[in-house]
Structure formats: C-alpha cells, structure tokens
Amino acid sequence: MTTAPDIRLVQLPAAAIHALAARDLAAANAAAPIALTRFFVEGADAGVWRMRSRQIEDDPTSADWVTRVIWDVTAQIAVGRAGYHGPPDATGMVEVGYSVDPGCRRRGYARAALEALLDRGAREPAVRTVRATISPGNDASRALVLQYGFAEVGEQWDDEDGLETIFEVSAATFRAAQLSGR
C-alpha cells in the first residue's frame, strides 16, 4: 500500500494571486512563500487565478478561504492547487476545488488535498455542507468524492467548465470523525 503524501495547503499572499492572474510567474514567485511552476499559469489555472484575484479585491476576507497551493512537504515542490470557492454562504455551504499538475497525478495528492479541505470544513462551525462540482467525464474525481460520502444532488452549467455534476456531503459527517479520533 502506498503512503499518502505529506502535504500542506499553502495560502498565497494577494500579490502572488494577482501575479498568477496576470500569468506572470516571475512576479508570483517573488511574492510567494514557495516556488511555483508553469502549471500555475498555464491552461485552466490562469482562469482560476483571475477569478480569485477579482474575488479577493472585492472581498479581502475571502482570501483565507480561496485557492491555495498543494505543497509536498517531503519533496518540497508545488504539485497543484486546492481550496474553497469562497467562505461559507448563507446556508453554510462551501464548495471545494482542486487540480493536480498532470506530471504529479496518481500519487495521492488530490486525496490528501480533499482530506485537508474536509478537515478544515469540519472544524469551521459556519460550514454545514461541502460541495464538489465535477465534469461528467472526470471519473477520477467522481470516484474520489464518492469515497468520502458525497452524494450526487444535481447538475449545473458553469460558463467556464460546462456541464458539472453536483455532489454534496454534510460537514457533520467529518465532525463526528474528528471527535472519534478518526
């Protein structure tokens, strides 16, 4: 059995997020507490950083909730991004998102990041529901969330990602696990 990677979700300062939104890797690395790779400014990731940059400009308090870097503590490398789409909404729902650099996939990073997000959600009294939205063709993410008790609750259309299946799980599920010492 493979050992789960030792990861930390590293919060980036606003300057690094704004630089990633502008696809300026050099400026992002100058502002970030860790070294970032091309993965963070290529493809779909640039859109995520643009969205988060606007979000923290509009609401600086959301910076504590939004996308972070998945940092492999042992290898000392950035392997992806993970976080919430924002603070809990009025109903106590938070949505998780994660993406692992293709060169680092199938090593347990998405699982470790999801566990870290679920753990934090369970510790936050304002969080009642954790949501994940997944492209219907993303079998790996679908299988992952189902292993953590997420249930399919519907579909939605996302202007950037297209059709998504909505999965949700109660944060109480993970609070109980924390109390029992998991």
Side-chain angles (χ1 to χ4, degrees), residues 123-134:
R123 293 178 193 284
E124 295 283 349
V127 175
R128 295 171 54 205
T129 304
V130 179
R131 173 179 284 182
T133 56
I134 300 170

Side-chain angles (χ1 to χ4, degrees), residues 79-161:
V79 298
R81 61 175 166 78
Y84 302 98
H85 290 216
D89 69 11
T91 68
M93 189 274 295
V94 291
E95 185 172 342
V96 297
Y98 50 86
S99 178
V100 175
D101 184 324
C104 298
R105 291 183 183 159
R106 307 208 45 83
R107 298 183 199 170
Y109 291 120
R111 175 181 306 281
L114 179 59
E115 287 177 359
L117 294 169
L118 291 171
D119 184 63
R120 176 173 179 202
R123 293 178 193 284
E124 295 283 349
V127 175
R128 295 171 54 205
T129 304
V130 179
R131 173 179 284 182
T133 56
I134 300 170
S135 168
N138 189 340
D139 295 333
S141 279
R142 178 186 200 84
L144 179 60
V145 299
L146 291 174
Q147 291 173 23
Y148 287 87
F150 283 77
E152 185 175 330
V153 297
E155 292 181 335
Q156 70 181 18
W157 183 263
D158 182 89
D159 288 337
E160 282 195 31
D161 300 324

Side-chain angles (χ1 to χ4, degrees), residues 24-35:
D24 186 343
L25 185 58
N29 273 318
I34 56 173

Side-chain angles (χ1 to χ4, degrees), residues 47-78:
V48 169
W49 297 115
R50 281 192 303 275
M51 187 177 359
R52 297 299 167 238
S53 176
R54 286 189 305 271
Q55 183 177 3
I56 62 175
E57 281 181 354
D58 293 344
D59 176 15
T61 64
S62 69
D64 190 42
W65 286 90
V66 298
T67 310
R68 296 171 181 230
V69 173
I70 305 170
W71 179 253
D72 182 319
V73 174
T74 304
Q76 296 286 290
I77 58 169

